[in-house]
Amino acid sequence: LIYKALLATNSIAFMQALRHYLLAVQFFTRIPITGRLAQWVLDRQIPLEVAPSSNLQTGIAGTIAEHPITFLRDQGFAITINTDNRLMSATSMSREFSLLAAEADWTLDDLEQATLVAAFGGFARRDVMERIIAEQIIPGYEAAREEG
């Protein structure tokens, strides 16, 4: 009943709680996101915050290539790439991107899509996010494409 009431409010707090719940269910119990809840998340394109290196340390997969992030991306889920705890995981966003590219065959387009999902899922006003995307993110990826 509380779940249905929160769902009806469509609140930001509920969406954030749901994101973390989904990650906890999948990554810490190793139960795949399936069924009605998965379809609901997919249909609404609720961003899933995924920290590959940190997740490997918790034992969800043996390698980046085996990590479910690529499967979720391929299924059309809104995926963001994160570091979780940079110091404990000894990682950075650059390292996370490099690992996904080298070990899971992510392309620059894949990385750009995840970056855009993260930007649009941020907590800034829409006009602020659109400006950041137009002035920083898109030009950054265009420059990376030109460099080859």
Side-chain angles (χ1 to χ4, degrees), residues 119-120 122-137:
F120 278 118
F123 287 106
R125 290 188 332 259
R126 183 77 176 194
D127 63 314
V128 172
M129 294 313 303
E130 288 174 351
R131 190 171 57 248
I132 291 169
I133 289 167
E135 295 175 5
Q136 297 176 31
I137 296 173

Side-chain angles (χ1 to χ4, degrees), residues 49-121:
E49 301 171 359
V50 184
S53 293
S54 176
N55 297 149
L56 291 185
Q57 291 173 335
T58 62
I60 101 149
T63 66
I64 295 292
E66 296 168 352
H67 191 287
I69 189 172
T70 302
F71 171 79
L72 292 168
R73 181 209 61 201
D74 292 347
Q75 297 304 306
F77 283 89
I79 299 298
T80 71
I81 303 162
N82 300 276
T83 59
D84 195 15
N85 185 332
R86 291 182 315 118
L87 296 176
M88 295 302 292
S89 298
T91 196
S92 65
M93 288 302 298
S94 297
R95 182 174 180 273
E96 297 295 316
F97 280 23
S98 295
L99 289 170
L100 286 166
E103 297 182 28
D105 298 322
W106 279 48
T107 65
L108 191 58
D109 289 340
D110 297 327
L111 298 171
E112 180 179 32
Q113 180 60 35
T115 303
L116 292 170
V117 168
F120 278 118

Side-chain angles (χ1 to χ4, degrees), residues 37-46 72 75-78:
L37 181 57
Q39 193 62 51
W40 189 85
V41 170
L42 180 62
D43 291 346
R44 286 155 185 81
Q45 287 295 285
I46 296 171
L72 292 168
Q75 297 304 306
F77 283 89

